[in-house]
Amino acid sequence: MIDISLNNIEKFYGANKVLENISFEVHSEDRLGIVGKNGCGKSTIFKLITGIEGYDKGTLSKRKNIKIGHLLQSNEDYYEYSVKNILYGTFEEINKIKEKMDLLMLDFENNIDEYNKLHDKYEQKDGYKIEEKIKRVVEGLKIDKVLLEKQFSSLSGAEKSRIILGKVLLENPDVLLLDEPTNHLDIDTIEWLEEFIKNYKGSVVIISHDRYFLDQVVNRTFEIYNKKLKTYNGNYSDFIEQSKVEKELEIKKYEDQQKELKKQEESIERLKA
């Protein structure tokens, strides 16, 4: 099943073209890596997918009712909240169902039908697994009890990154867009994140300079070079190997062209003589 499709996308910033003829698809349960030099347009692709920015040419389509989670580098929206409120707030809709159920329980006999409907909805949304899910992420990202009670605005940059990563993972979207997710994580936490992504039910698209991390989790690699995107099957090491072979072929092709050009020039000189 296709979650997201980009076809011949072009993007300008003013008169400067940053992306040209970008085409690829994200399929359900894909594990995709996007690589390229800083400033090549990797994060811009995420902004186009989420609608944060528009594009100038081409088409971008998404599966109906798809839920996309985006690990943003900016997080000012959370400054006034505690870490605990941010993480538990991920389940706000489910918590409201539980609150209604608790109210109905006060007069259960007269509200049994409505209560049962809400209870079914609560179960369908895994309401009874909220604590289990939060515990898994909190322990995996090493968010201790002291950190949970802190105000988000008081945290260091590394702590903020971990909290927002935790929030995005708890949202459990159909598509996870992760921009440099291993920044500020130690080895143990990165290994936990690798396992989390490997077992994730949705699709995951990752921008990262962490080559080892990409080797562990992705099955296709997109390289953005000179405004264009090229697809390679396999992880980062596979991409490097395939890219190396391609570059060697390009060099040989160029050398052969130069040899042929030289022969033609020599022939012309002989004819002139």
Side-chain angles (χ1 to χ4, degrees), residues 72-81 152-153 160 164:
L72 292 166
Q73 297 300 315
S74 175
N75 41 51
E76 289 84 358
D77 293 344
Y78 305 109
Y79 272 40
E80 62 183 273
Y81 300 101
F152 186 81
S153 57
K160 287 174 182 174
I164 299 306

Side-chain angles (χ1 to χ4, degrees), residues 50 67-71 168 171-178 205:
T50 55
K67 184 180 177 183
I68 297 175
H70 185 193
L71 178 57
V168 173
E171 286 172 354
N172 194 39
D174 300 303
V175 181
L176 267 174
L177 304 180
L178 302 178
V205 188

Side-chain angles (χ1 to χ4, degrees), residues 89-252:
T90 306
F91 302 99
E92 183 178 3
E93 180 188 353
I94 301 175
N95 290 332
K96 285 182 178 178
I97 294 173
K98 184 64 167 63
E99 288 174 6
K100 290 180 181 177
M101 287 168 58
D102 291 342
L103 285 173
L104 294 173
M105 276 295 290
L106 298 175
D107 189 11
F108 182 71
E109 290 183 3
N110 292 321
N111 297 300
I112 187 168
D113 291 338
E114 188 178 355
Y115 177 89
N116 287 336
K117 287 178 183 178
L118 286 175
H119 182 267
D120 290 343
K121 192 174 181 181
Y122 188 73
E123 280 193 325
Q124 288 170 7
K125 292 182 176 292
D126 284 341
Y128 290 110
K129 295 182 180 180
I130 288 177
E131 291 296 333
E132 178 187 331
K133 290 177 179 179
I134 291 176
K135 182 181 179 183
R136 180 189 178 197
V137 169
V138 163
E139 290 181 352
L141 295 177
K142 296 184 178 179
I143 303 170
D144 59 30
K145 292 180 180 180
V146 175
L147 187 55
L148 274 173
E149 299 302 327
K150 284 186 176 181
Q151 199 76 4
F152 186 81
S153 57
S154 70
L155 305 183
S156 68
E159 289 171 334
K160 287 174 182 174
S161 294
R162 272 192 291 147
I163 302 312
I164 299 306
L165 175 58
K167 177 178 173 17
V168 173
L169 297 182
L170 286 170
E171 286 172 354
N172 194 39
D174 300 303
V175 181
L176 267 174
L177 304 180
L178 302 178
D179 194 344
E180 300 293 353
T182 61
N183 279 3
H184 311 297
L185 300 184
D186 62 23
I187 294 174
D188 292 339
T189 311
I190 291 174
E191 289 178 351
W192 174 87
L193 183 59
E194 288 170 3
E195 288 303 312
F196 186 98
I197 290 172
K198 287 176 184 176
N199 296 312
Y200 194 70
K201 298 301 182 185
S203 51
V204 186
V205 188
I206 303 165
I207 295 171
S208 180
H209 287 90
D210 188 333
R211 299 178 178 186
Y212 180 79
F213 179 72
L214 290 174
D215 266 350
Q216 299 303 306
V217 298
V218 305
N219 55 25
R220 274 196 294 155
T221 303
F222 298 154
E223 181 191 28
I224 300 179
Y225 177 74
N226 196 25
K227 306 180 185 67
K228 296 181 180 179
L229 180 145
K230 188 162 187 179
T231 302
Y232 296 85
N233 289 322
N235 60 19
Y236 187 86
S237 292
D238 296 326
F239 147 68
I240 290 295
E241 189 62 33
Q242 294 171 50
S243 179
K244 180 183 176 183
V245 171
E246 286 180 355
K247 286 179 174 61
E248 288 173 350
L249 290 172
E250 287 173 6
I251 291 170
K252 189 177 185 306

Side-chain angles (χ1 to χ4, degrees), residues 20-31:
E20 180 180 347
N21 295 331
I22 300 293
S23 298
F24 66 88
E25 293 176 346
V26 180
H27 296 259
S28 298
E29 299 194 15
D30 255 342
R31 302 290 183 267

Side-chain angles (χ1 to χ4, degrees), residues 1-5 25-28 61-64 66:
M1 186 184 297
I2 298 173
D3 287 337
I4 301 168
S5 177
E25 293 176 346
V26 180
H27 296 259
S28 298
S61 57
K62 291 175 270 189
R63 178 162 55 83
K64 188 176 180 181
I66 195 168

